[in-house]
Amino acid sequence: MLILFGIEMFRPICRAEDVKRENKTVDIVKRRGVITANKIHLKKYPIDNPVTIFNASINFNGEELIVYGRIVLGYFTYASAVAEFRVPIRDLFNNLFACHYTAEIVLYPDNRFDIWGVEDPRVYEIDDKILITYSGRTVNYFDPSIRVERTLPVTAIFDNGKWRKLCVCRMPEEMRGFVISDKDAFFVRMKDGLKLFHRPHMRDERFYLTVSDVPDDVLELKEFRDVSVSDTKLVLEHAKFEEKIGWSTPPVKVDGEYLFLLHSMDMETKAYKVFAMLMNESAEVTAVTPYYIMEPKESYEIYGDRPFTVFPCGAQIIDDSLIISYGAADSAIGFGEIDLTELMSILDSNRIG
C-alpha cells in the first residue's frame, strides 16, 4: 500500500521483483511513414494547415484507418484540439509521405476541464460504442498558485453522428488535493466491470501506473458529468533506469488476454521508449516484454518539438500485424507495423508467475 502524506493511496497488483526488465532495446517496429502538418488540410476552418499534428490514435473500419490527431494551431499557449481524417490502408504500404488528407476538428477546448487543451486522444470501442479519452488541460493549468488537477482525463462518445463529451474522471474527493495531473487514460471493460486505466502524477512528484473502478452506468450518461473513480491499484512500478512509465495504447484482445503498449521516459537521456504488457480479465499482469521494443531512431523521431520521442496512442490488429500510430518528436504522426506473432513470442518468454 502506498502511503502519501499519511493517506493510504494505491495497493500494488504485482510485486516489482516479479517483473524482469532490462535497459536495452530490440526494435521490432517496421516504420510505415509519417504524416506532417503540411499534409493536413482543415475544413470549416480559416487556417488551412495546423502548425503541428502528432500523438494520434486510430480506429479501423475494414478499409480505412480513421485517425484522430492532436493538432496545434499556434505555439503561444500550445492549446490543442483533435482533428479526424481517414487514411486508406493501401497508403500505409505505398508512399505515405506523398499523401494529403482533409481533416475536420471534432473535439475543441470548451469547458473548465479542457479549456487550455484537448491532448493525446485514445480512441477505442466498448459495448459497440466508440469512445475517445483525452488529457484535458484544466482551467488551473497556467495558474502558478494552483498545482492540483492541472490535467484530467475527459471522455467523449460518438453519438448520433457527432462527438459528445461524456464525463471527466477524478480521484475521490479526499485525494484530489494530492493529484497534480492525471493523463494517459482510457476505459476497458473487464470481468468485474468497467475500469479506468490512467497515470496520476502525485504531490510526491512520482508518476503512478494505475487502474481504477468506475461506475458501470458512465457510458449511458446523457449529460456531461464529474465521475469519481474508486479502488485505485498500482499496476506496475517503473524500473530504476526510468523516470516514469505510462499507458500508451488502449488494449487489443489476443488469445483471451489484453495487449497494451506502454511508454517510458529514460532516467538519464529523457528519451521516450516503448514496451508491451499482457493482462488477464481480472486486471492482473501476466507478461511484460523483457526489454523495449521501440525507441527513437528515424530523423523525424529524434528531432522535433520534443526530441527523442516515440509516443504511441493507437493500435489496431490488421491481418497478422499490430498497426500502431504514434507521435514522432511531437512534430508528426508516425505509423508502424509489428509482427504480432513475434511480439507475443517475446511476451511469452517473460511470463509472470
Side-chain angles (χ1 to χ4, degrees):
M1 178 72 71
L2 169 68
I3 306 220
L4 181 61
F5 301 105
I7 295 179
E8 293 185 346
M9 294 287 183
F10 314 134
R11 179 169 59 85
I13 287 177
C14 65
R15 297 178 303 171
E17 57 266 28
D18 292 334
V19 181
K20 299 178 178 63
R21 297 176 57 221
E22 57 181 312
N23 190 13
K24 76 171 190 176
T25 303
V26 178
D27 198 313
I28 64 170
V29 180
K30 185 173 184 178
R31 274 50 167 191
R32 284 296 180 186
V34 295
I35 296 175
T36 51
N38 63 317
K39 303 298 177 64
I40 298 297
H41 307 281
L42 299 175
K43 62 180 180 181
K44 301 179 183 177
Y45 202 85
I47 298 174
D48 183 45
N49 306 111
V51 170
T52 188
I53 186 166
F54 58 107
N55 291 6
S57 194
I58 50 174
N59 208 347
F60 182 56
N61 65 7
E63 296 180 354
E64 301 172 306
L65 291 176
I66 307 170
V67 183
Y68 297 89
R70 174 181 169 184
I71 65 166
V72 175
L73 298 177
Y75 284 112
F76 176 54
T77 61
Y78 216 70
S80 303
V82 174
E84 174 192 308
F85 63 98
R86 294 170 183 251
V87 175
I89 196 66
R90 65 177 181 273
D91 287 5
L92 290 187
F93 302 97
N94 292 297
N95 187 9
L96 189 64
F97 291 92
C99 298
H100 287 248
Y101 302 97
T102 299
E104 182 175 2
I105 303 176
V106 293
L107 287 169
Y108 301 82
D110 69 359
N111 64 58
R112 70 187 181 95
F113 297 110
D114 65 14
I115 194 64
W116 290 115
V118 174
E119 301 185 344
D120 304 344
R122 272 78 168 187
V123 63
Y124 52 98
E125 296 187 33
I126 297 178
D127 303 339
D128 297 321
K129 299 176 174 66
I130 304 175
L131 304 162
I132 285 178
T133 301
Y134 61 86
S135 296
R137 277 189 182 181
T138 72
V139 70
N140 298 335
Y141 193 82
F142 290 112
D143 189 337
S145 67
I146 304 176
R147 199 165 179 255
V148 294
E149 294 192 323
R150 297 174 76 242
T151 66
L152 289 170
V154 180
T155 297
I157 187 168
F158 193 69
D159 186 25
N160 292 321
K162 62 181 180 179
W163 288 98
R164 173 174 62 85
K165 294 180 184 180
L166 193 67
C167 64
V168 58
C169 286
R170 304 170 75 183
M171 299 297 278
E173 190 77 41
E174 67 272 14
M175 294 176 63
R176 292 177 187 175
F178 303 103
V179 178
I180 295 173
S181 68
D182 201 350
K183 291 187 173 187
D184 303 337
F186 43 81
F187 291 132
V188 180
R189 171 82 65 197
M190 301 193 114
K191 184 173 67 175
D192 61 345
L194 198 62
K195 308 285 186 182
L196 179 73
F197 286 70
H198 56 131
R199 205 282 320 274
H201 171 199
M202 307 299 286
R203 274 179 52 192
D204 62 353
E205 300 303 343
R206 294 182 65 189
F207 300 81
Y208 294 92
L209 191 80
T210 62
V211 59
S212 301
D213 291 343
V214 292
D216 259 7
D217 63 354
V218 163
L219 304 187
E220 307 303 325
L221 293 175
K222 300 305 179 185
E223 295 183 354
F224 187 81
R225 201 177 85 187
D226 183 328
V227 174
S228 291
V229 304
S230 60
D231 194 23
T232 300
K233 298 182 181 69
L234 178 65
V235 175
L236 182 69
E237 293 182 299
H238 64 78
K240 62 183 179 181
F241 46 81
E242 296 168 323
E243 182 170 315
K244 60 183 178 180
I245 57 177
W247 302 108
S248 276
T249 62
V252 295
K253 208 74 174 289
V254 181
D255 297 331
E257 293 181 292
Y258 296 94
L259 170 61
F260 299 83
L261 296 185
L262 295 90
H263 58 265
S264 157
M265 181 191 284
D266 185 86
M267 180 68 75
E268 290 188 3
T269 67
K270 312 304 181 187
Y272 276 86
K273 304 175 185 179
V274 179
F275 65 103
M277 172 192 291
L278 290 175
M279 297 183 81
N280 61 21
E281 284 277 2
S282 299
E284 298 167 331
V285 180
T286 57
V288 180
T289 52
Y291 43 73
Y292 299 114
I293 61 169
M294 184 184 190
E295 68 177 24
K297 67 177 185 179
E298 301 292 340
S299 60
Y300 51 81
E301 299 165 350
I302 291 171
Y303 177 66
D305 284 344
R306 204 298 181 184
F308 280 90
T309 298
V310 285
F311 193 88
C313 288
Q316 292 284 314
I317 295 176
I318 301 178
D319 297 328
D320 298 321
S321 297
L322 186 70
I323 302 298
I324 67 169
S325 56
Y326 63 96
D330 280 14
S331 297
I333 298 172
F335 292 89
E337 181 182 6
I338 301 173
D339 183 297
L340 199 53
T341 301
E342 181 180 7
L343 177 55
M344 292 302 293
S345 178
I346 295 169
L347 284 160
D348 283 338
S349 74
N350 201 37
R351 288 276 174 179
I352 295 170

